[in-house]
């Protein structure tokens, strides 16, 4: 294995006078699931927005597959295979399920590959096949999350950034979605997962970072962090 | 969504062709009516405003960018057409060369306005486009070396087609000329709507950030919408010039025209091609047909005279416009012939689709 697929070095970013990320560094190796956990406002979503080029960084550097990407516009980063499933799903509510998925494949020209990926998404989430002609907004929260993941898969990502896939979703469906994330990873997809549900995320991921007020305070194999007393106290709700 | 069977969904999906077909039959129906009830002559401006509405619909209906300056593009079209054809200028092009030129100049104007402003969101963009409208109008007024100021450029030569000359005194050929050009615009718009770029515009309208996450270059897509929308509006201006035989004067292309275009799109149904056709018919028809006929009818019976402020229907025009809009927004905000997508937005998504049990709340 070569170098890391994604490498962020000492990135700083903010909103006006507020500094959200204070020199954060992280890396994701090919084939890994890495999770980023932390409290509300720690900077988890900001990290993902910076990596995918939607929010600019003030200093530091981000490399994807050896290429520096932090100066590229967001749509060019997607072209390189770094795709984000945004927080709150953000499917297109008035477009049909099928149109949502077609937009996922927006940048692709390989018709056969697109057709295969439709099959793949429908195999992962049979409910989407059933509802392909329905407007995305008519789906339940969990189904919308499935659609958001399916839409991202349609863009043939090499690295998938996922922001809070469990947000606002019934526990039964959360479990189903986490199973799917594992399945996608086993099919070879590298994943960087941001989660508030630290317990679920740490069980799924191989490695984890703990983020506090814009800085990484702890990192290591997920299993170790799951056992770490500091993590158990702050994020898993133990005394 | 249309799954309730019957032929209605299929009919509804082709409503724009049905409306155009009815318009094509109108002159025949007119022959059966006494002269004072004939409509075909009065319908011609409706076709031109429908083209204007199509242009605005691409920007506002499909892409979700509020544009309050389409009158400017119409003016640019009318003046481009006038300068290209009028015999006081050296170009003296024919209708069929001048019209594509008008469309191209409109697209260029759209890009010139779009490039510096397309990053603005919502209301800010609307205000800039409104300013552009005023700017163009004043420029035309003051650049009188070129535009003849408030006189306008005239007379313009009649269009010809394969040797046939469209004369002002024979309205019927004009009717079918404008109808045919409108049909071409409708065909183009429908194809755009259903193509990849149409889906791209819809995605930007719905959620620009999510669209960016799909790799869509939203600036480029918005600029394209601006350019295509402006080219249709400019075409409407060119047709207007040909219809009047004059560029009109700059004051003809004031803010009111932009608002009427917006009303056409809103009353018809944002993002709906058939809606824009019906909207143009209702808005312009009300003004150009109903009020004209009503005034003539009342005058004939001695119930009104043009100097009586209270009994002349034209004086009530804006009052009735306003009332109609209020009623519309209250009872049918999605428009008369809404697009499937917008209808879904304004009425509960899940009314006709039972939500799966066990789905979580959001």
């Amino acid at each position: 294995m070569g170098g890391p697929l994604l490498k962020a070095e000492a990135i700083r970013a903010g909103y006006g006078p507020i500094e959200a990320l204070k020199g954060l560094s992280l890396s994701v190796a090919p084939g890994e699931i890495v999770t980023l956990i932390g409290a509300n406002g720690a900077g988890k979503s900001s990290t993902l927005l910076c990596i995918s080029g939607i929010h600019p960084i003030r200093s530091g550097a981000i490399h994807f597959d050896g290429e520096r990407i932090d100066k590229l516009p967001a749509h060019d980063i997607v072209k390189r295979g770094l795709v984000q499933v945004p927080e709150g799903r953000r499917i297109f509510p008035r477009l049909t399920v099928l149109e949502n998925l077609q937009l996922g494949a927006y940048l692709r020209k390989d018709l056969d590959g697109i057709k295969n990926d439709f099959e793949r998404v429908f195999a992962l989430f049979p409910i989407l096949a059933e509802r392909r002609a329905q407007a995305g907004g008519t789906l339940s929260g969990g189904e919308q999350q499935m659609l958001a993941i399916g839409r991202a898969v349609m863009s043939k990502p090499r690295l998938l950034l996922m922001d809070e896939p469990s947000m606002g979703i019934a526990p039964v469906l959360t479990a189903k979605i986490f199973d799917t994330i594992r399945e996608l990873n086993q099919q070879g997809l590298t994943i960087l997962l941001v989660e508030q549900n630290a317990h679920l995320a740490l069980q799924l991921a191989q490695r984890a970072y703990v983020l506090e007020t814009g800085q990484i305070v702890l990192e290591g194999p997920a299993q170790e962090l799951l056992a770490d007393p500091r993590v158990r106290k702050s994020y898993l709700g133990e005394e | 969504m249309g799954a309730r069977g019957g032929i209605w969904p299929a009919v509804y999906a082709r409503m724009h062709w049905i409306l155009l077909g009815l318009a094509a039959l109108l002159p025949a129906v007119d022959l059966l009516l006494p002269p004072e009830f004939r409509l075909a002559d009065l319908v011609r401006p409706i076709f031109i405003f429908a083209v204007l509405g199509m242009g605005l619909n691409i920007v506002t209906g499909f892409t979700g960018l509020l544009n309050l300056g389409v009158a400017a593009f119409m003016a640019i079209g009318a003046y481009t057409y006038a300068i290209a054809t009028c015999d006081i200028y050296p170009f003296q092009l024919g209708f069929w060369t001048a019209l594509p030129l008008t469309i191209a100049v409109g697209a260029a104007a759209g890009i010139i306005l779009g490039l510096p402003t397309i990053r603005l969101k919502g209301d800010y963009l609307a205000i800039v486009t409104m300013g552009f409208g005023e700017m163009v109008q004043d420029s035309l007024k003051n650049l009188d070396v070129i535009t003849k100021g408030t006189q306008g450029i005239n007379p313009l030569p009649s269009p010809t087609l394969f040797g046939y000359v469209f004369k002002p005194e024979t309205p019927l050929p004009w009717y079918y000329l404008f109808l045919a050009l409108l049909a071409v615009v409708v065909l183009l718009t429908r194809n755009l709507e259903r193509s990849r770029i149409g889906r791209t515009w819809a995605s930007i309208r719905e959620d620009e950030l999510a669209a960016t996450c799909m790799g869509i270059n939203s600036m480029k897509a918005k600029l394209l919408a601006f350019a295509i929308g402006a080219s249709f509006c400019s075409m409407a201006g060119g047709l207007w010039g040909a219809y009047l035989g004059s560029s009109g004067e700059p004051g003809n292309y004031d803010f009111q025209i932009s608002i009427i275009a917006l009303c056409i799109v809103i009353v018809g149904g944002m993002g709906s091609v058939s809606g824009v056709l019906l909207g143009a018919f209702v808005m312009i028809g009300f003004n150009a047909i109903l009020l004209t006929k009503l005034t003539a009818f009342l005058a004939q019976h001695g119930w009104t005279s043009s100097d009586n402020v209270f009994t002349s229907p034209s004086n009530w025009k804006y009052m009735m416009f306003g009332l109609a809009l209020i009623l519309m927004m209250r009872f049918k905000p999605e428009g008369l012939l809404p697009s499937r997508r917008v209808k879904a937005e304004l009425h509960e998504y899940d009314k006709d689709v039972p939500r799966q049990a066990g789905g979580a709340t959001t």
Side-chain angles (χ1 to χ4, degrees), chain B:
Chain B
M1 205 176 358
R4 254 151 295 153
I7 58 162
W8 177 243
V11 170
Y12 195 83
R14 289 167 186 77
M15 190 60 87
H16 46 287
W17 296 124
I18 296 171
L19 292 172
L20 290 174
L22 289 175
L25 293 176
L26 183 64
V29 178
D30 263 2
L31 292 177
L32 307 172
L33 297 172
E36 65 266 32
F37 291 111
R38 290 184 185 168
L39 293 177
D41 283 8
L42 299 165
V43 168
R44 286 176 298 165
I46 294 180
F47 294 155
I48 296 173
F49 274 85
V51 173
L52 184 73
M54 290 294 161
L56 179 61
N57 187 44
I58 286 179
V59 179
T60 302
F62 290 172
T63 322
L65 308 168
L66 184 53
N67 185 338
L68 295 177
V70 292
F73 296 115
M74 193 178 179
I76 287 169
Y79 274 85
T80 304
Y81 179 80
I83 290 171
T85 56
C86 188
D87 57 13
I88 58 172
Y89 296 99
F91 313 107
Q92 297 173 24
L93 304 174
F95 179 79
W96 299 102
T97 331
L99 197 64
L101 179 73
T102 303
I103 293 168
V105 171
I111 290 172
I112 289 169
L113 171 64
L115 270 179
T117 59
I118 209 84
R119 277 165 206 282
L120 299 172
K121 302 233 185 278
D123 309 350
Y124 301 100
L125 180 69
I127 287 175
V128 169
T129 55
M130 201 170 131
F132 181 72
E134 297 305 305
M135 223 169 77
V136 167
Q137 203 188 322
D138 279 344
S139 305
L140 291 173
K141 216 172 280 171
N142 295 328
L143 267 175
D144 48 9
V145 204
I146 305 170
T147 63
K148 309 288 166 218
T150 49
Q151 292 169 23
I153 300 164
N154 51 62
L156 304 182
S158 298
T160 56
L161 180 62
F162 303 122
Y164 178 84
V165 182
F166 291 83
K167 292 218 173 64
E169 57 274 19
T170 50
L172 203 58
W174 287 92
Y175 184 91
Y176 283 106
L177 174 70
F178 289 157
L179 182 60
L181 290 170
L182 174 60
V184 171
V185 169
V186 167
L187 184 70
L188 275 173
T189 311
R190 282 291 292 169
N191 282 333
L192 281 171
E193 185 187 8
R194 284 179 297 189
S195 70
R196 184 164 175 265
I197 183 68
R199 258 199 322 269
T200 309
W201 288 335
S203 72
I204 290 171
R205 185 189 62 204
E206 303 227 325
D207 193 330
E208 196 173 338
L209 184 126
T212 307
C213 285
M214 300 296 97
I216 288 167
N217 183 344
S218 61
M219 293 305 148
K220 214 168 108 186
K222 285 181 181 177
L223 202 57
L224 189 65
F226 246 64
I228 295 177
S231 69
F232 284 179
C233 295
S234 180
M235 174 178 169
L239 296 178
W240 190 245
Y243 169 68
L244 292 179
S246 160
S247 66
E249 58 135 331
N252 292 359
Y253 306 97
D254 59 0
F255 186 54
Q256 206 178 306
I257 296 282
S258 300
I259 291 298
I260 286 175
L262 192 63
C263 288
I264 287 173
V265 173
I266 290 173
V267 167
M270 288 259 230
S272 158
V273 172
S274 54
V276 171
L277 293 176
L278 190 63
F281 183 79
V282 171
M283 294 300 296
I284 307 301
F286 177 75
N287 194 6
I289 300 178
L290 194 66
L291 285 182
T292 319
K293 294 278 185 194
L294 194 62
T295 309
F297 180 78
L298 293 178
Q300 205 178 356
H301 292 266
W303 292 336
T304 183
S305 62
S306 53
D307 53 348
N308 189 322
V309 179
F310 295 104
T311 56
S312 170
S314 306
N315 291 319
W316 292 89
K317 183 164 83 177
Y318 290 107
M319 189 83 88
M320 289 191 261
F321 255 37
L323 185 65
L325 274 181
I326 290 170
L327 292 175
M328 186 84 203
M329 288 300 104
R330 171 63 187 81
F331 293 105
K332 211 160 164 23
E334 72 276 25
L336 295 171
L337 292 173
S339 80
R340 167 174 67 77
R341 288 168 183 156
V342 175
K343 196 174 177 181
E345 173 198 17
L346 288 164
H347 294 277
E348 279 297 296
Y349 296 127
D350 24 16
K351 207 182 278 172
D352 54 358
V353 192
R355 181 169 278 192
Q356 194 198 22
T361 48
T362 338

Side-chain angles (χ1 to χ4, degrees), chain A residues 4-8 26-35 48 51-52 62-65 69 77-85 152-153 155-162 184-185 188-193 207, chain B residues 213:
Chain A
L5 187 58
L6 177 76
K7 195 167 161 210
L26 60 78
S27 72
V28 180
E32 270 190 314
I33 301 183
V34 173
T35 185
L48 293 195
I51 292 171
S52 48
I62 302 169
H63 286 85
F64 180 63
D65 201 13
I69 57 167
I77 294 176
V78 177
K79 210 175 279 176
R80 286 161 172 73
L82 199 168
V83 179
Q84 176 164 6
V85 182
V153 167
S155 59
K156 211 176 176 180
R158 294 165 64 204
L159 171 63
L160 197 59
L161 309 180
M162 303 183 92
L184 285 169
N185 176 247
L189 185 58
T190 310
I191 292 166
L192 175 57
L193 172 72
R207 276 192 320 116
Chain B
C213 285

